[in-house]
Every structure is written in C-alpha cells, then in structure tokens.
Amino acid sequence: MRGKLKNAGIRKKLVCYSYAIITPILMLISTCLFVRNYHRTMAEERELCQKDVENLSGNLDTLLDGMVEFGTYICINNDILAILSSDDAQALNRDSQLWVHEAPMRTLQDMIALSGQIKTLAIYPENGVNPYLRCADAAAYISSIEEIRQTACYRNAVEKRGKYSFVQVRKSASDFYQANRTDKIVLYREIYDRAKRERLGYLAIGASTEKYIQLCEKSLSADTAGIVVMNESGEELIRTGALPAEVYAFAYGKEPEDGGKGYEVYRCTSEKTGITVCEIVAREGVVERLDQIALAPAALLFGFLIGLYPILAIVSNIVSKPLKELGVAMKRFEKGDFEQKVAVTTGGEVGEVAAGFNQMVDAIKKLIDTNYVMTLQEKESELRALQAQINPHFLYNTLDALYWRATNEGNDEIAEDILSLSQLFRHVLGQGNAQTDIGNEKELLEEYLHIQKMRFSDHLDYEIHMEKAILSHMIPKLILQPFVENAVVHGFERDGGDCLIRVDGKREGEWIVFTVEDNGVGMSEEQLQDIWEVPDAKRYAGQRIGRYAIRNVKERLELLYGDGCTLRIESAVGRGTCVTIRIPWEDNNYREHVEEKRE
C-alpha cells in the first residue's frame, strides 16, 4: 500500500492522506454540528414565538391607541371642558339636549362609527351637570356619578391623576354598567383642567372584545397554545386558546400543579399602554417540528462534509485567509479608516490585489485630504467675501456719528433705527468669525427686520421665536438671514402688499429645526430651481447680502454636516414660501467641530 502511494500522483496522495487524517475528526465535527444545529433551530423557534408575541402586542397597541386618542380628544376639547368646568350646573341642566347643543357630540358619534370597536361612551361631570351616556349595543350605563364614586375603578382613576387604565367587563353589571350584553374592554380615567389641578369629570369608553380576540386567535403559534392579555395591574383582559384552565396560571407568574415542565412561556409588555401579552405553548409540539426540521439537514450535512471537507478545508485555508484579511481592511476603509493597510504575505494574484489595495488607499487619502482642505477654504473665503462688501470702520464711525447727531437733535426714533443698523452690521461682520451662537443669529434677524419695518411701516410684521435651550448652541454664521431677506425683497417688496414673516427655532430630539415662513407672492417650480443654479460668477454681483447667498448656505451646511442636515424650500405662487433647515444637535460645539474637520 505504501509502495503504491509512494509512486502515486500528488492528487491521489492528497485525497488518501486527507481521508486517513481527517475522517475521525470529521465524524466528531459532524456530530457536534448536528447537536449545534438542533439547539440553534430550537432557539430560532423560541425567537419566532417571542417575535409573534411582540407583533401581537404591537397590533393590540394599535387598537388601544385608537381608544386612547379618542379619549384624549374628549379630554382636551374646549367645548367639553367648558361644560365640565361650568359653575352654573342648574342652568346647563335646563337644556335636555345640552351635550348635543354645546359639545361636538355628533363628531364623536361619527368617530365611534368609524372606529368599529367603540360601543359605549360615558362622561360624568364632577360639577353636577347631567352626564353624557351613549351605548350603541343596548348596554346601559350607571347614570349617577354618586354611585360611580363608590366603585373601585373610580378610586383607581383618582389615584392615577389623569392616566388611563384598561379593564375587562363581563356580560353582567359592573363598575360601569347597569346592564351589559357583551364582553368589553373599558378605558377609564379622570378628566382634569389644563393645569391638572382640579378634577372635572370621569370618562369611560367601552370597546368590543371581538377584534382583540380575533387578533389573539390569529397569533396562536400552534393548536396547543394559549394567549392571555393583561393590564398593567395584572388583571386579565383577553384569553384565547384550548389549553387546560390550570395551565393559564403561567400568565400570572404561578406554576401549575405539575410544575409546568411541558410548556414554554413568552411575554411582552408594551411600554406605551402597559399591556402584557403572554403566550403559553406546549413544548411537545415545538419539539416535533424541530425534529422534522433538524434531522434531515443534519444527515445531509454529515454525508456532504465527509466527501468534501478534506479538500475544501485545505484549499479554503490557503486561498481564503488572505482574502478575508483584505475584506476586513476594505470594511474598515469603507467606514473612514484611511490608514488601513494589508500586509502582503503571499505572492500571485492575491498578493497583487493586496499591494494594489494599499496603493489605492494612499492615493484616495491624499486626494480626499487635498480636496477637502481646498473646498473648506473656498467656502470660508466665500463667507469672508460676503462680509467684506462693507468697510467696517467706515460704517461704524459713520453710523455712530449719525446716531449721536439724531440723539442730540431729539429724534429718538431715527436714532433707534440707526442703532439697529449699526448692530446689524456688527452681527454680520462679527470680527470675521465663521460661526456664531443661535442667540446672536436671532439678534441679527431682529435688527435686520427692525430696519425693514422702518422702511415699510405697518405693511411689515414679523415674529421670531427661538427655544431658550438652543440659544447657546453654535451654528454656521448667516444661515437664516439670506432667507429672511429673500422673503422681504422677493416675497414682499416687489408685490407691495402686507407681509408677515415668522422665524422659529426649536430642538426636536437629536435635531435643531429652523423655519422661515412668509405670506408673500411665492415662487413657481422654475423659480425654485433657479435658486440652486445661480452662476458662480454672479454670486457676489448684487448689493444685497442675501441675494446669492442661499446656495452658499446649502453648500456650507452640506460641507460641515454632510447627509446629517437638510434644507427644504416649499413655495407656491400666491401662497408664500416656507424654508426648513434641520441640523444635528451634537454634544461638541460647532467651533470644535470645524477645527476637527480642518485637522
């Protein structure tokens, strides 16, 4: 045998020696793979069941949100609050159709009809006004609020101070109904005044359990499964499935008499509504399905690996190792690591690819560094060019002289206007800085619009609202003023009518959002497109600071924030214009951000 192998070709030697060495190891590996795949399949089955429970929880939240939004509408409706806070209940009670005449009850009835699930509605005023009781399914509410106040649900609602709760109501009298013909899920809560200091009324909304039961039945993962839905207090709302009654004890954190070894339990609690969904699945059915899924692939894998593993293992180890290293380097390079290099440890095609990758990284890093620095310098030069259109010293000295002359002559109004113009130029020039805080940007807009109001008198009004929390945040300079100027020049000045300009700034999560809105003549789609196509040669040709600065603002924002910012202009002829700017809220301030980009 050895003599034959000695004289055999390398191909046969490789096969024979590989079989002799790897076959015992391969048998052990195949067994381990089978066991691992079996447990992995079981884990996937559990994950699927858990995902089903989470999906069911989300679907139930959608239904419950409909009730919550309906209740919220009632609690904030001004007409309803007016009835609930009235001091003259007797006068209101003289009108037998009070709720129809004084509140939007027809709208509420339409909303009930559209929802399909809401069957009953009760509003019990605390001031003695007759309650509003509406039942669409022949149920009958308790009509006296004195009786309602004796119920456990009312006391619970008072303790929660305006927070809503859900409870199941069976086909019998309860804390809500004198007569009830169908199972319901009832949302109840206390209604407070807007300051949440005074209780105004008690609200109860009843919904049919039909849709909730249908959702639960569709979500059952097997015939040997059951679902229990509970409120935040652990009280049962819905139960479906064909499991023995004692098995449902799992849902309440208890164990059945047999210890519950034959069942798996999956839970999901909604953060929005506090509702807990619990699914109990018989383990026997799960194991049967896992056997069918796992055994056949494991047997196939066992035979396949025995025939191919020796050759594939050797070849893949030789070929794939350097390629994997190259792939890891490419992923790091894709994420921005331009210092990434691959050690060339082999010759041939793989070595040539690795060397080519290293050369490509060097070339791209050099190109990016060069172009980025040039672009940043160009944008800063454009900003300085805008600022340099006015001689600072000449303007300051001239405006100061005019201010004191107007003051000495007793013309305070003109003096105030001159001071506003001086402050405007100081904010615009800002000692050549490319950044400012939002507070300074707001002051610039106020001074600019004050001067424009001097020109147009009562024909121009403006409102500027900036959240206090964002005033100290650093932003690029002159990103709002060009849009305000365009609103005056193009939206109002050419039209000559009355103009209202509104500027807002606020934080929304991880974003700062600015809006500049006017009621001017608006723009067509062609005019909007022309804004972004201003030739570079004309960008500084105008005398107005903001005439050609809009595209400059967009380019500076994109340069500094990339895809992390948006600039949107919405306009229609005759309907005004609205500009929206979104930039990210970052922990580091803007100055550090710019310096880091320059480095």
Side-chain angles (χ1 to χ4, degrees), residues 146-418:
E146 284 74 20
E147 294 183 42
I148 291 293
R149 287 172 179 158
Q150 305 304 316
T151 63
C153 290
Y154 179 88
R155 292 192 294 271
N156 184 47
V158 172
E159 291 177 359
K160 289 196 172 184
R161 295 189 58 79
K163 294 183 179 179
Y164 57 82
S165 298
F166 297 97
V167 67
Q168 182 191 53
V169 176
R170 297 289 187 181
K171 301 178 183 179
S172 61
S174 68
D175 286 357
F176 303 92
Y177 303 101
Q178 289 181 344
N180 181 31
R181 298 187 178 183
T182 61
D183 291 345
K184 293 183 177 67
I185 293 178
V186 176
L187 176 150
Y188 64 93
R189 59 168 289 180
E190 270 290 313
I191 303 175
Y192 281 77
D193 60 8
R194 297 192 183 279
K196 287 194 174 183
R197 295 177 180 174
E198 181 181 0
R199 297 200 307 270
L200 301 181
Y202 178 69
L203 173 67
I205 304 172
S208 171
T209 59
E210 181 179 352
K211 289 187 177 181
Y212 297 85
I213 293 175
Q214 290 176 355
L215 278 176
C216 293
E217 289 176 347
K218 289 180 180 179
S219 298
L220 288 173
S221 58
D223 295 335
T224 55
I227 291 177
V228 178
V229 180
M230 298 170 289
N231 63 16
E232 59 184 356
S233 300
E235 299 172 347
E236 182 178 306
L237 298 179
I238 301 292
R239 178 188 292 191
T240 58
L243 293 177
E246 63 272 11
V247 174
Y248 287 97
F250 274 123
Y252 309 100
K254 304 176 183 178
E255 288 189 358
E257 295 179 358
D258 64 352
K261 296 181 180 179
Y263 297 90
E264 296 278 351
V265 181
Y266 305 92
R267 295 178 182 272
C268 179
T269 300
S270 170
E271 295 181 359
K272 295 169 59 178
T273 61
I275 298 300
T276 298
V277 178
C278 178
E279 183 175 19
I280 307 166
V281 182
R283 190 177 291 123
E284 180 180 354
V286 175
V287 172
E288 289 177 358
R289 292 199 304 273
L290 289 174
D291 288 341
Q292 296 173 1
I293 295 172
L295 286 176
L300 181 62
L301 178 64
F302 183 84
F304 183 78
L305 290 179
I306 288 180
L308 295 181
Y309 184 81
I311 299 175
L312 293 178
I314 295 174
V315 173
S316 63
N317 186 55
I318 296 174
V319 176
S320 65
K321 186 175 181 180
L323 291 177
K324 287 181 179 178
E325 294 176 353
L326 182 60
V328 172
M330 287 182 174
K331 289 182 179 179
R332 293 176 179 172
F333 176 78
E334 182 182 3
K335 294 179 179 179
D337 184 0
F338 298 117
E339 302 294 336
Q340 189 60 225
K341 294 293 181 66
V342 178
V344 181
T345 58
T346 183
E349 294 81 1
V350 176
E352 293 176 1
V353 171
F357 172 78
N358 292 338
Q359 294 175 2
M360 179 190 69
V361 170
D362 291 335
I364 291 178
K365 182 178 182 299
K366 182 177 179 181
L367 181 62
I368 289 176
D369 289 344
T370 301
N371 286 331
Y372 178 82
V373 172
M374 292 177 62
T375 304
L376 184 60
Q377 291 176 346
E378 179 184 357
K379 298 306 171 186
E380 292 181 348
S381 297
E382 291 175 358
L383 180 60
R384 286 193 293 269
L386 286 174
Q387 297 172 341
Q389 291 180 6
I390 307 171
N391 186 313
H393 298 291
F394 171 76
L395 283 175
Y396 293 161
N397 294 337
T398 302
L399 291 173
D400 285 345
L402 292 174
Y403 170 76
W404 289 113
R405 182 175 179 181
T407 301
N408 292 334
E409 293 180 1
N411 199 331
D412 294 335
E413 183 177 354
I414 293 179
E416 189 68 24
D417 293 335
I418 294 173

Side-chain angles (χ1 to χ4, degrees), residues 506-577:
K506 58 184 178 180
R507 180 176 180 181
E508 293 183 358
E510 297 302 319
W511 301 90
I512 298 178
V513 180
F514 299 104
T515 58
V516 180
E517 187 174 4
D518 68 74
N519 63 344
V521 298
M523 292 180 284
S524 64
E525 291 292 335
E526 293 77 11
Q527 291 173 316
L528 283 172
Q529 188 64 28
D530 289 342
I531 291 177
W532 312 119
E533 297 179 356
V534 177
D536 290 341
K538 294 183 178 181
R539 195 177 300 181
Y540 306 111
Q543 298 301 315
R544 300 186 184 276
I545 297 175
R547 184 177 180 185
Y548 297 107
I550 294 178
R551 199 175 84 176
N552 176 274
V553 171
K554 183 174 184 294
E555 292 174 351
R556 285 193 291 132
L557 290 174
E558 290 177 347
L559 179 64
L560 294 171
Y561 300 109
D563 295 335
C565 69
T566 58
L567 192 161
R568 185 173 71 253
I569 302 178
E570 299 174 303
S571 184
V573 176
R575 297 184 180 180
T577 301

Side-chain angles (χ1 to χ4, degrees), residues 32-48 290 293-294 297-298 301:
C32 294
L33 286 174
F34 172 79
V35 174
R36 187 193 68 175
N37 289 339
Y38 181 85
H39 289 292
R40 183 176 61 185
T41 306
M42 288 191 66
E44 291 174 352
E45 184 72 16
R46 294 190 183 98
E47 182 179 356
L48 181 61
L290 289 174
I293 295 172
L301 178 64

Side-chain angles (χ1 to χ4, degrees), residues 355-518:
F357 172 78
N358 292 338
Q359 294 175 2
M360 179 190 69
V361 170
D362 291 335
I364 291 178
K365 182 178 182 299
K366 182 177 179 181
L367 181 62
I368 289 176
D369 289 344
T370 301
N371 286 331
Y372 178 82
V373 172
M374 292 177 62
T375 304
L376 184 60
Q377 291 176 346
E378 179 184 357
K379 298 306 171 186
E380 292 181 348
S381 297
E382 291 175 358
L383 180 60
R384 286 193 293 269
L386 286 174
Q387 297 172 341
Q389 291 180 6
I390 307 171
N391 186 313
H393 298 291
F394 171 76
L395 283 175
Y396 293 161
N397 294 337
T398 302
L399 291 173
D400 285 345
L402 292 174
Y403 170 76
W404 289 113
R405 182 175 179 181
T407 301
N408 292 334
E409 293 180 1
N411 199 331
D412 294 335
E413 183 177 354
I414 293 179
E416 189 68 24
D417 293 335
I418 294 173
L419 180 61
S420 295
L421 181 60
S422 176
Q423 293 296 330
L424 171 65
F425 284 122
R426 291 181 187 274
H427 282 298
V428 170
L429 299 173
Q431 299 179 350
N433 294 329
Q435 67 280 338
T436 185
D437 59 52
I438 295 176
N440 284 330
E441 191 78 358
K442 176 187 176 185
E443 292 177 8
L444 184 149
L445 296 178
E446 291 173 341
E447 301 295 350
Y448 174 78
L449 287 171
H450 177 83
I451 294 170
Q452 293 292 1
K453 188 169 179 62
M454 173 187 69
R455 296 177 56 198
F456 300 108
S457 186
D458 295 335
H459 294 287
L460 174 63
D461 284 319
Y462 61 90
E463 299 177 5
I464 301 177
H465 302 284
M466 297 285 180
E467 288 185 352
K468 185 176 180 180
I470 69 171
L471 293 180
S472 61
H473 194 81
M474 301 298 290
I475 60 172
K477 190 175 183 181
L478 290 176
I479 66 170
L480 296 177
Q481 190 275 342
F483 300 104
V484 173
E485 178 169 339
N486 269 25
V488 175
V489 175
H490 301 292
F492 165 62
E493 181 179 307
R494 297 178 181 178
D495 180 63
D498 292 335
C499 179
L500 173 63
I501 298 176
R502 180 182 177 90
V503 183
D504 291 307
K506 58 184 178 180
R507 180 176 180 181
E508 293 183 358
E510 297 302 319
W511 301 90
I512 298 178
V513 180
F514 299 104
T515 58
V516 180
E517 187 174 4
D518 68 74

